[in-house]
């Protein structure tokens, strides 16, 4: 590893902390996992926001955790940073054969299957969020030819699944007490799940990342409804009691302003 590289400096820092700080000394891979997940999510949020100071800060925190894992591996005599870099170089050469005179280009998922994955969905972490999991499952299935030719197929599937949801909702018996809390029937949960899965498929075929698309929609909704609250406050309107008609009027005004 290059002497005084950013990673080397971070490793030296962690080694020093573990030698002199009681809290740092007792940390293990398992104890650090929650912090690592938190830092990755904070980095992701900074990237979504596009704030360079935040991205820089969160990348530093992520670098610290990367160094921590490498220091622990070194203390256990398991592997070194150079070992990791060697593995990474070999993997990227295998997955980009056309760039290293190793053969013609191949689809990414097919190249990964050559690396010993016994089943199509091997390697997908169970903790992957549902929207991302749906996208990755569909990508893997598409890599073996189980896919629509264009967006028309998945668009029709979305319409079909939406109709099934509507049929399921219409068929629900009226509750004896409409105000009482109740759980939806499993059949409705299943149908809405199918609808969401179909929407992810449509997004994928349209070459839109569904996770990023939903992030943008969430941000837009939050921004507009915050503006609704601001407009309501300026006009002395109480949001909780304003009613849908008034809130919808404010919503349309907020849309025109942004």
């Amino acid at each position: 590893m290059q002497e005084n590289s950013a990673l080397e400096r971070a490793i030296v820092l962690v080694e020093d902390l573990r030698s002199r700080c009681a809290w740092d000394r007792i940390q293990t891979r398992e104890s650090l996992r929650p912090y690592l997940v938190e830092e990755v999510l904070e980095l992701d949020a900074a990237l979504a926001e596009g704030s360079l100071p935040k991205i820089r800060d969160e990348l530093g925190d992520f670098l610290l955790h990367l160094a921590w894992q490498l220091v622990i591996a070194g203390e256990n005599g398991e592997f070194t940073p150079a070992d990791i870099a060697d593995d990474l170089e070999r993997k990227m050469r295998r997955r980009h054969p056309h760039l290293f005179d190793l053969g013609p280009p191949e689809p990414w998922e097919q190249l990964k299957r050559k690396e010993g994955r016994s089943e199509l969905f091997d390697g997908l972490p169970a903790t992957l969020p549902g929207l991302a999991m749906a996208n990755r499952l569909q990508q893997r299935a598409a890599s073996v030819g189980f896919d629509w030719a264009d967006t028309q197929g998945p668009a029709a599937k979305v319409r079909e699944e939406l109709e099934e949801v509507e049929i399921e909702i219409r068929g629900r018996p009226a509750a004896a007490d409409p105000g009482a809390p109740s759980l939806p029937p499993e059949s409705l949960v299943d149908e809405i799940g199918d609808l969401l899965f179909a929407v992810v498929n449509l997004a994928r075929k349209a070459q839109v990342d569904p996770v990023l698309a939903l992030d943008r929609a969430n941000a837009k909704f939050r921004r507009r409804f915050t503006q609704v609250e601001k407009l309501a406050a300026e006009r002395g309107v109480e949001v909780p009691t304003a009613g849908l008609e008034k809130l919808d009027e404010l919503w349309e005004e907020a849309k025109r302003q942004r």
Side-chain angles (χ1 to χ4, degrees):
M1 182 167 54
Q2 179 183 351
E3 188 175 356
N4 291 326
S5 67
L7 181 57
E8 174 63 25
R9 289 163 59 192
I11 288 175
V12 170
L13 173 62
V14 171
E15 289 174 338
D16 179 52
L17 291 174
R18 283 173 71 81
S19 70
R20 297 194 293 146
C21 173
W23 187 88
D24 290 88
R25 186 179 305 118
I26 65 173
Q27 298 309 307
T28 65
R29 286 190 179 121
E30 192 66 21
S31 70
L32 290 169
R33 282 180 57 200
Y35 302 105
L36 175 58
V37 171
E38 181 179 334
E39 294 301 345
V40 170
L41 292 175
E42 289 178 355
L43 173 58
D44 181 64
L47 292 170
E49 184 178 337
S51 167
L52 290 180
K54 289 184 179 180
I55 292 172
R56 177 172 176 170
D57 186 54
E58 297 302 339
L59 280 172
D61 291 342
F62 181 72
L63 179 62
L64 174 66
H65 276 269
L66 174 60
W68 225 327
Q69 295 297 330
L70 290 171
V71 167
I72 291 173
E75 290 173 349
N76 296 338
E78 297 164 336
F79 49 78
T80 68
D83 294 331
I84 299 297
D86 289 344
D87 293 343
L88 178 60
E89 287 176 351
R90 285 192 292 268
K91 181 187 293 185
M92 290 301 101
R93 287 171 64 88
R94 287 196 308 270
R95 294 184 180 179
H96 300 82
H98 56 296
L99 300 181
F100 298 97
D101 298 323
L102 299 175
E106 295 184 56
W108 186 262
E109 292 295 342
Q110 291 184 20
L111 287 166
K112 290 174 71 175
R113 282 201 303 278
K114 288 183 177 180
E115 296 175 359
R117 196 169 61 205
S118 59
E119 296 183 359
L120 186 61
F121 302 128
D122 281 355
L124 289 177
T127 53
L128 200 64
L131 197 65
M133 176 66 83
N135 194 41
R136 294 295 291 126
L137 289 171
Q138 293 171 12
Q139 288 175 339
R140 295 259 179 116
S143 73
V144 295
F146 191 70
D147 197 13
W148 301 99
D150 52 36
T151 57
Q152 294 184 19
K157 188 65 175 175
V158 169
R159 291 191 290 270
E160 175 189 326
E161 296 296 349
L162 177 58
E163 183 177 352
E164 292 181 3
V165 168
E166 291 173 336
I167 291 172
E168 185 69 31
I169 290 174
R170 288 196 299 268
R172 293 182 66 183
D177 180 3
S182 62
L183 293 175
E186 289 188 4
S187 55
L188 178 57
V189 175
D190 289 342
E191 293 298 347
I192 290 181
D194 291 344
L195 173 60
L196 292 171
F197 195 83
V199 170
V200 171
N201 211 2
L202 175 60
R204 182 184 60 83
K205 288 304 294 183
Q207 298 184 335
V208 172
D209 187 304
V211 176
L212 296 181
L214 186 58
D215 282 347
R216 288 169 64 93
N218 289 340
K220 181 167 58 178
F221 181 87
R222 182 172 186 169
R223 184 174 63 249
R224 286 179 177 172
F225 203 84
T226 299
Q227 183 65 11
V228 166
E229 292 177 311
K230 181 180 178 181
L231 291 171
E234 290 173 353
R235 296 165 194 182
V237 175
E238 295 290 336
V239 170
T241 58
L244 178 59
E245 183 177 352
K246 183 61 179 179
L247 291 178
D248 194 50
E249 176 186 321
L250 294 173
W251 175 266
E252 291 300 324
E253 185 175 345
K255 285 174 63 177
R256 291 192 295 270
Q257 292 182 7
R258 297 264 182 147

